[in-house]
């Protein structure tokens, strides 16, 4: 910027010249600042990558619900929309039909999909629980143990992990599959039909089990089978979508890792997020919410569980006989491994 020449007129000439220069510089700085503010105001904020995740609205989905409710996805630079479902089987169906990008689903429906030839990849398990599933049975019909289920009608939702869970508990306790009547029903019908006396027993997940216990008291008995089965909830999606959105995938995983840490460090605050999302009051949730259930990982036990369930499904003719699926090949473990190496314990 050029300034007009100033003639020296007495002793005030130099002072006048300096003031003029400073004033001009000040106006220039203000102009630059004003331009910068205006530019920032006019420039649109960079859009975050959008991801739709289909989620069963259950306690085991806590890392996803906490990450959403506490703003952890946005903190990691990804815009996640939670698509709610009752069960993981339906959440996975949403991905397969192209309505969602990722889904949380239990290992059994994931096994059925992969054994049936579906193109699905696993990114991480977000929960592993020993008391999320159970068989609730009517003591007023003479059921005191698993063996008493022989000859009884048991309700469950076929094609889910409830199917494998029931079979495992029956076999361990020496009860043949054909010794009981399997009755396929939706989740809402299971609850209503058991409470209404139309079923002798039912396989359910929390919080339905606790609600029935609270409602029916000593008229019912719940068998959890902690030593027989572990409920695993897995984040999965189509390999094509995952591999074409590596940055978004890593941001989702980072937020889930932060959510799992938040659950461990501040479980009460986590419950306050999860409870309203799944429609459960905090008094009941406090009885069921175990922070130790929530770890973001991919471990060898998950691989072995999928193999075991596939052999079971083939033996029971629930899937078409075919070569064992390559479950390790269906695991996109390198995304999690790049963020949290110790979380991946697969032999690969």
């Amino acid at each position: 910027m050029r300034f007009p020449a100033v003639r020296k007129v007495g002793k005030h000439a130099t002072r006048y010249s300096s003031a003029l220069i400073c004033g001009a510089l000040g106006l220039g700085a203000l102009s630059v600042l004003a331009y910068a503010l205006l530019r920032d105001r006019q420039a649109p904020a960079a859009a975050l990558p959008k991801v739709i995740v289909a989620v069963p609205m259950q306690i085991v989905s806590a890392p996803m619900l906490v990450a959403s409710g506490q703003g952890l996805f946005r903190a990691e630079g990804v815009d996640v929309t939670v698509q709610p479902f009752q069960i993981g089987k339906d959440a996975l169906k949403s991905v397969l039909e192209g309505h969602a990008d990722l889904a949380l689903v239990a290992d059994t429906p994931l096994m059925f999909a992969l054994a049936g030839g579906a193109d699905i990849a696993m990114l991480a398990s977000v929960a592993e629980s020993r008391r999320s599933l159970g068989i609730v049975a009517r003591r007023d019909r003479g059921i005191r143990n698993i063996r008493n289920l022989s000859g009884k009608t048991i309700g469950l939702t076929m094609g889910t992990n409830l199917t494998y869970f029931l079979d495992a508990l029956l076999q361990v306790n020496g009860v043949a599959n054909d010794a009981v009547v399997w009755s396929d029903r939706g989740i809402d019908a299971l609850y209503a039909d058991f409470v209404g006396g139309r079923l002798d027993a039912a396989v359910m997940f929390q919080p339905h089990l606790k609600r029935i216990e609270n409602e029916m008291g000593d008229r019912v008995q719940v068998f959890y089978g902690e030593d027989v089965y572990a409920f695993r909830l897995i984040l999965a999606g189509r390999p094509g979508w995952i591999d074409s959105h590596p940055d978004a995938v890593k941001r989702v995983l980072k937020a889930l890792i932060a959510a799992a840490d938040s659950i461990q460090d501040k479980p009460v605050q986590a419950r306050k997020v999860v409870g309203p999302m799944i429609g459960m009051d905090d008094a009941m949730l406090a009885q069921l919410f175990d922070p130790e259930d929530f770890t973001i990982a991919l471990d060898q036990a998950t691989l072995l569980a999928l193999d075991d369930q596939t052999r079971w499904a083939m033996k029971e003719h629930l899937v078409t006989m075919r070569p064992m699926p390559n479950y390790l090949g269906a695991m996109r473990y390198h995304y999690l491994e790049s963020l949290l190496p110790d979380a991946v314990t697969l032999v690969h």
Side-chain angles (χ1 to χ4, degrees), residues 331-344:
M331 291 182 171
R332 292 295 195 269
Y333 52 81
H334 58 278
Y335 290 102
L336 180 60
E337 196 170 48
S338 68
L339 301 172
L340 198 64
D342 292 343
V344 178

Side-chain angles (χ1 to χ4, degrees), residues 3 26 38 89 122 221 226-227 254 286 303 308 343:
F3 301 98
L38 181 62
K89 176 184 176 182
M122 293 167 272
Q221 177 77 43
E226 298 98 321
D227 297 332
K254 286 178 71 176
L303 196 61
D308 288 344

Side-chain angles (χ1 to χ4, degrees), residues 26-47:
L27 288 172
L30 287 173
S31 298
V32 171
L33 178 60
Y35 171 76
L37 291 173
L38 181 62
R39 182 187 59 187
D40 289 345
R41 190 179 299 119
Q42 291 175 338

